Amino acid sequence: MAIIGVLFLFFLAICLNTESAYITYNTSQGIVSGKLNVHLVPHTHDDVGWLKTVDQYYVGSNNSIRGACVQNVLDSMISALLADKNRKFIYVEQAFFQRWWRQQSQTLQGLVKQLVKTGQLEFINGGMCMHDEATPHYIDMIDQTTLGHRFIKQEFDQVPRVGWQIDPFGHSAVQAYLLGAELGFDSLFFARIDYQDRKRRKDDKTLEVIWRGSKSLGSTSQIFTGVFPRHYDPPDGFTFEVNDVSEPIQDDITLFDYNVQERVDDFVAAAFAQANVTRTNHIMWAMGTDFRYQYANTWFRQMDKFIHYVNKDGRVNALYSTPSIYTDAKYAANESWPVKDDDFFPYADKENTYWTGYFTSRPAFKGYVRMMSGYYLAARQLEFFKGRSNLGPNTDTLADALAIAQHHDAVTGTQRQHVASDYAKRLAMGYVEAEELVASSLACLAESTSNTECRKPMEKLEQCPLLNISYCPPSEMTLSSGKSMVLLVYNPLGWKREDVIRIPVINESITIHDSNGKEIEAQLIPIANASLKLRNYYVQAYLGKSPSVTPKYWLAFMATAPPLGFSTYILSNVKNSGSLTTLSTIYTSLGSENDSLEVGQRNLKLTYAVDKGKLIHYTNSRSLVNADIKQSYIFYSAYAGSGVDPQASGAYIFRPNGTYPIKTEQKGSLTVIRGPVLDEITRIYKGKEHVEVEFIVGPIPIDDGIGKELAIQITTGMKTNKTFYTDSNGRDFIKRIRDYRTDWTLQVNQPVAGNYYP
């Protein structure tokens, strides 16, 4: 017992004589040649709306859904950077940063400008959001990126160098060349590619490539592209938010669980594991993920320690870095890189999980975004013609709303319902302001008699934002004798256009003349009862009142407008026997005739089987195309998931559990509308060589608890050898081959979902 007591007292004396000491961590390390360099890139991924609205994410409200506050991220990150000149951080979403910037004092703004100037804070991507790459139009991608880049240039005199599309669900060729190389980026990085593709690339060390997204531009518009070997977070065991479970470095020898060597060994092992799938002696660790750095010191404290102790260990070299520094190091390595063509669609992250469902999720919202995009283009032009006013109505609100609507959880349709409503509300508010600008600008231009600046217009032009539900009060008024209505058609494109205009009217006594007094050929098409029911329901829902009149016809006529200009048409009720406005002829089959009928004028003609009420043949006499063709409607039954395989079909994932034709309970009749402007079953315009299909769906029956995806099925006799083409963001066409990928041998697990493309 005496010996034990002596030993105990001796140990206690050692502990009492040891004190904690301040440690200065050396974080100044740069790149070291001849060693494996681990580039630590601190970042946060802040969705501009998803589970919460963009405002809720920024201020940190509604945290019962998700504890996220971007305001805290930016406050905390800036403080952490100011504490150590060697620390670095990259930031992406300007929709958040600009809000934060406007709330800061001039003193703090000056400090932040210095952080940007020295490279501690670097803006990556630079758009208002990290836009989706499957569902937006390329013009919208350009516009939202331009808004962010303009702010960065004006406030910081900086131009982003790197694309950082880490979370979109697949990647387009247009992103590579137009929003990458042509934008001036040196590199592009992302995380999500097909799981089979990722495995093959890791095995071949081809995660980093030269991407040539354009067949026509080729090597003149290529970009160095890196795919992360896992997600856009650090290797397992290296995430350090307050509530994360990774083991921190405990380097105080007076405390229990001292683990410096253990953690350094973990770091080195993870670094060499990644180096085994990467070319050159440079690897990047994306140190962050969704809404991280709300308390930035928890991250930077650990990274300071890792850089300090790993570099003392000497087996690898760790440094604070950015994607720009990493890109420069890759270029300097003088490595040869494999070339990538086409795109990275469709994306699947595991066997039965194809992220092709969002191509059609919330289709009404997708349509609204596209419609507002076209309107915004016209409004900006008219704003320029009239002269911009910062005090009066302008296009800024619509521009901001459209920008965040391109986010990869906005136009995709993958957001929560209250967030979808918030996006739509912002677009509607932007439209209202832009509508006032457009009305005054067009009236001003229409009344202008000289090239001098136009004065306040005498007349007010009205517009019809609810025309899609057959509601347009200006065109539905009664034109009494001697009264007329002026219709102004504006063309925002750079070439002359001829398009059919359709507006609802209450009677057939309508005559149309152009601005030279020449009468225009027009056609009256009866409005279907189903359309009127939808009109009455939604007008009440949107406006809180029922329509005061009921239109009987669509008035259709061919309008011509010059490039970047407008034309005017006069509608009156001075109709006589020689009028060029004619009522459509209507033919309704009884559904039993064993015969066919032909629809269309001039080159394009469609043939329908009367007894089946279906399209059977397509003829174009100019292009000499003469083919059997069938159009039908089907639905995919959604897989609900099971205990063995829980992956269900949903807003992101398309996983069908069978395909079924849509059959009516009774044999329907076939109604054909003919006239001088258009023929309609599926719509064919006079002189046009395309067919326009319009149909109304809903409500979709889900009483059986099974989700359903509706689709048009077109069957032809063409011999395509499984080859077809899809568009890329409205700008290019991409060659596709069914059940085939150009870069690897595809194991086909989902033959339907795996063959759908944007």
Side-chain angles (χ1 to χ4, degrees):
M1 292 296 293
I3 294 175
I4 293 175
V6 171
L7 289 175
F8 174 75
L9 292 173
F10 181 69
F11 174 73
L12 184 62
I14 291 176
C15 291
L16 292 174
N17 288 330
T18 303
E19 296 181 355
S20 300
Y22 176 76
I23 301 174
T24 302
Y25 299 109
N26 182 6
T27 59
S28 62
Q29 192 77 348
I31 292 171
V32 175
S33 61
K35 278 190 177 181
L36 175 60
N37 291 273
V38 184
H39 294 250
L40 303 182
V41 177
H43 80 101
T44 181
H45 174 60
D46 299 335
D47 290 300
V48 184
W50 175 33
L51 304 177
K52 304 199 295 187
T53 68
V54 60
D55 288 353
Q56 291 169 349
Y57 271 132
Y58 178 70
V59 302
S61 61
N62 209 358
N63 279 342
S64 61
I65 294 177
R66 172 70 186 267
C69 176
V70 176
Q71 195 172 18
N72 286 349
V73 171
L74 294 169
D75 286 340
S76 183
M77 174 267 291
I78 294 298
S79 296
L81 293 182
L82 292 171
D84 185 341
K85 66 179 181 179
N86 298 314
R87 292 172 173 172
K88 290 179 169 50
F89 197 86
I90 62 172
Y91 198 74
V92 174
E93 292 83 8
Q94 292 305 303
F96 286 133
F97 188 85
Q98 291 180 23
R99 295 170 182 224
W100 180 85
W101 180 255
R102 291 191 294 266
Q103 297 173 351
Q104 307 312 308
S105 66
Q106 288 188 353
T107 300
L108 186 57
Q109 286 184 353
L111 293 173
V112 174
K113 286 183 176 181
Q114 189 62 26
L115 291 174
V116 174
K117 184 177 181 181
T118 60
Q120 276 192 266
L121 174 61
E122 183 174 343
F123 295 113
I124 300 294
N125 235 20
M128 297 295 283
C129 67
M130 187 180 295
H131 57 228
D132 176 48
E133 297 181 37
T135 54
H137 193 272
Y138 78 94
I139 292 293
D140 293 328
M141 297 162 76
I142 291 173
D143 285 346
Q144 81 87 15
T145 303
T146 300
L147 281 180
H149 279 224
R150 183 185 298 156
F151 168 83
I152 294 169
K153 182 64 176 176
Q154 289 174 344
E155 295 292 338
F156 302 99
D157 195 28
Q158 296 284 324
V159 178
R161 289 182 51 196
V162 174
W164 189 258
Q165 288 288 105
I166 58 176
D167 198 28
F169 325 126
H171 304 281
S172 76
V174 166
Q175 178 69 33
Y177 80 87
L178 186 63
L179 277 301
E182 295 287 297
L183 194 62
F185 285 165
D186 296 325
S187 57
L188 169 64
F189 296 95
F190 49 75
R192 297 188 185 272
I193 64 170
D194 186 279
Y195 71 103
Q196 297 181 48
D197 191 13
R198 190 192 303 274
K199 181 182 184 306
R200 193 268 307 177
R201 290 182 180 279
K202 290 172 71 172
D203 292 341
D204 298 344
K205 291 190 176 183
T206 56
L207 286 167
E208 293 171 323
V209 298
I210 300 298
W211 191 1
R212 294 177 182 169
S214 170
K215 296 287 186 184
S216 57
L217 296 176
S219 61
T220 64
S221 193
Q222 63 190 22
I223 188 167
F224 176 77
T225 301
V227 180
F228 299 153
R230 48 175 289 142
H231 204 44
Y232 51 82
D233 53 354
D236 290 338
F238 295 93
T239 55
F240 300 107
E241 199 71 16
V242 172
N243 295 323
D244 283 333
V245 298
S246 297
E247 193 69 25
I249 288 184
Q250 204 293 83
D251 59 348
D252 187 341
I253 61 173
T254 70
L255 304 178
F256 294 149
D257 301 322
Y258 181 85
N259 65 352
V260 172
Q261 191 59 50
E262 178 186 343
R263 291 266 57 199
V264 168
D265 290 344
D266 292 339
F267 187 101
V268 172
F272 280 124
Q274 184 168 332
N276 286 335
V277 299
T278 308
R279 301 186 186 191
T280 79
N281 62 344
H282 295 275
I283 62 172
M284 181 198 302
W285 284 10
M287 298 299 292
T289 185
D290 294 9
F291 301 101
R292 295 307 198 267
Y293 291 81
Q294 294 189 69
Y295 182 48
N297 276 330
T298 62
W299 284 86
F300 281 111
R301 181 187 295 118
Q302 297 305 314
M303 285 187 288
D304 287 351
K305 293 182 179 183
F306 274 111
I307 292 172
H308 178 78
Y309 289 115
V310 165
N311 291 337
K312 285 183 67 176
D313 176 86
R315 285 175 285 174
V316 301
N317 181 57
L319 66 151
Y320 278 122
S321 187
T322 68
S324 297
I325 296 172
Y326 178 78
T327 299
D328 290 341
K330 288 288 184 175
Y331 275 98
N334 199 27
E335 176 72 38
S336 68
W337 305 99
V339 174
K340 163 71 177 175
D341 295 311
D342 57 63
D343 62 6
F344 289 91
F345 284 116
Y347 162 60
D349 62 346
K350 51 184 179 291
E351 184 172 306
N352 294 313
T353 309
Y354 275 93
W355 295 52
T356 54
Y358 78 95
F359 296 165
T360 56
S361 294
R362 300 191 190 276
F365 180 68
K366 284 178 166 65
Y368 191 37
V369 170
R370 190 61 52 84
M371 182 175 70
M372 287 296 99
S373 171
Y375 192 82
Y376 172 57
L377 173 64
R380 277 192 299 173
Q381 294 171 356
L382 292 167
E383 185 177 38
F384 173 80
F385 291 151
K386 183 185 178 186
R388 178 178 168 80
S389 170
N390 291 323
L391 300 177
N394 56 50
T395 59
D396 290 352
T397 303
L398 183 55
D400 289 341
L402 273 170
I404 66 171
Q406 309 313 313
H407 169 58
H408 59 269
D409 276 306
V411 68
T412 55
T414 53
Q415 67 277 60
R416 293 277 183 90
Q417 179 56 55
H418 76 284
V419 182
S421 299
D422 183 73
Y423 287 134
K425 180 179 180 179
R426 293 171 186 275
L427 288 171
M429 292 170 64
Y431 170 80
V432 168
E433 186 173 354
E435 182 186 42
E436 186 177 349
L437 165 72
V438 167
S440 61
S441 298
L442 282 175
C444 181
L445 291 172
E447 294 178 15
S448 177
T449 57
S450 68
N451 293 326
T452 59
E453 184 177 349
C454 61
R455 296 184 292 259
K456 185 176 180 180
M458 300 293 292
E459 301 294 336
K460 181 181 179 182
L461 294 176
E462 297 182 68
Q463 298 167 66
C464 297
L466 298 182
L467 192 59
N468 64 318
I469 56 170
S470 314
Y471 183 68
C472 182
S475 70
E476 296 167 15
M477 62 186 237
T478 302
L479 295 177
S480 57
S481 182
K483 261 192 172 184
S484 61
M485 180 181 71
V486 176
L487 180 67
L488 192 149
V489 179
Y490 179 73
N491 174 21
L493 299 181
W495 54 88
K496 177 183 176 181
R497 292 177 65 187
E498 288 185 341
D499 284 298
V500 172
I501 303 296
R502 291 164 57 104
I503 57 174
V505 294
I506 61 173
N507 57 51
E508 62 268 27
S509 299
I510 298 289
T511 302
I512 304 177
H513 293 81
D514 63 17
S515 57
N516 295 320
K518 179 184 176 182
E519 187 176 355
I520 303 298
E521 189 174 51
Q523 179 179 345
L524 292 164
I525 307 160
I527 298 179
N529 288 334
S531 296
L532 292 176
K533 289 178 180 178
L534 288 173
R535 161 194 163 95
N536 294 336
Y537 176 82
Y538 284 108
V539 168
Q540 177 66 42
Y542 292 154
L543 303 181
K545 63 180 181 180
S546 298
S548 57
V549 297
T550 300
K552 295 176 63 178
Y553 303 102
W554 284 107
L555 176 67
F557 67 97
M558 186 68 73
T560 303
L564 297 176
F566 64 91
S567 298
T568 53
Y569 294 89
I570 295 90
L571 279 65
S572 61
N573 72 342
V574 186
K575 187 176 179 183
N576 51 52
S577 58
S579 173
L580 296 181
T581 300
T582 60
L583 193 61
S584 301
T585 60
I586 300 174
Y587 165 77
T588 301
S589 75
L590 300 177
S592 60
E593 299 128 271
N594 185 19
D595 202 354
S596 63
L597 61 85
E598 192 174 73
V599 179
Q601 306 170 36
R602 298 189 182 176
N603 295 328
L604 178 60
K605 291 181 172 59
L606 300 179
T607 304
Y608 285 81
V610 174
D611 59 337
K612 297 179 180 178
K614 291 184 178 181
L615 176 66
I616 59 173
H617 201 79
Y618 172 101
T619 302
N620 188 320
S621 58
R622 186 187 64 83
S623 60
L624 302 180
V625 173
N626 189 14
D628 291 337
I629 182 170
K630 295 180 181 178
Q631 177 189 326
S632 57
Y633 297 93
I634 63 171
F635 73 89
Y636 297 102
S637 176
Y639 182 77
S642 67
V644 178
D645 187 354
Q647 181 59 64
S649 193
Y652 293 93
I653 311 303
F654 177 38
R655 188 176 182 186
N657 191 25
T659 307
Y660 306 93
I662 297 176
K663 297 179 179 179
T664 56
E665 295 182 0
Q666 58 184 17
K667 198 155 196 173
S669 60
L670 186 68
T671 300
V672 182
I673 297 173
R674 299 183 189 270
V677 178
L678 59 87
D679 290 350
E680 189 165 276
I681 298 178
T682 52
R683 195 170 301 137
I684 305 176
Y685 295 114
K686 176 182 177 181
K688 302 292 184 179
E689 295 192 11
H690 67 271
V691 177
E692 186 175 288
V693 179
E694 182 177 318
F695 58 95
I696 297 172
V697 175
I700 299 173
I702 54 172
D703 295 341
D704 54 6
I706 299 174
K708 297 169 183 66
E709 308 268 3
L710 274 64
I712 295 179
Q713 186 176 67
I714 297 175
T715 306
T716 75
M718 292 189 294
K719 304 298 182 184
T720 64
N721 195 27
K722 296 185 176 182
T723 302
F724 58 103
Y725 292 82
T726 64
D727 89 289
S728 182
N729 304 111
R731 186 173 175 87
D732 294 273
F733 277 97
I734 305 289
K735 181 180 179 179
R736 313 291 189 188
I737 301 175
R738 194 169 70 250
D739 293 331
Y740 176 80
R741 303 290 187 267
T742 57
D743 295 333
W744 79 98
T745 301
L746 174 69
Q747 179 182 339
V748 180
N749 298 308
Q750 287 288 325
V752 175
N755 284 296
Y756 267 87
Y757 293 86

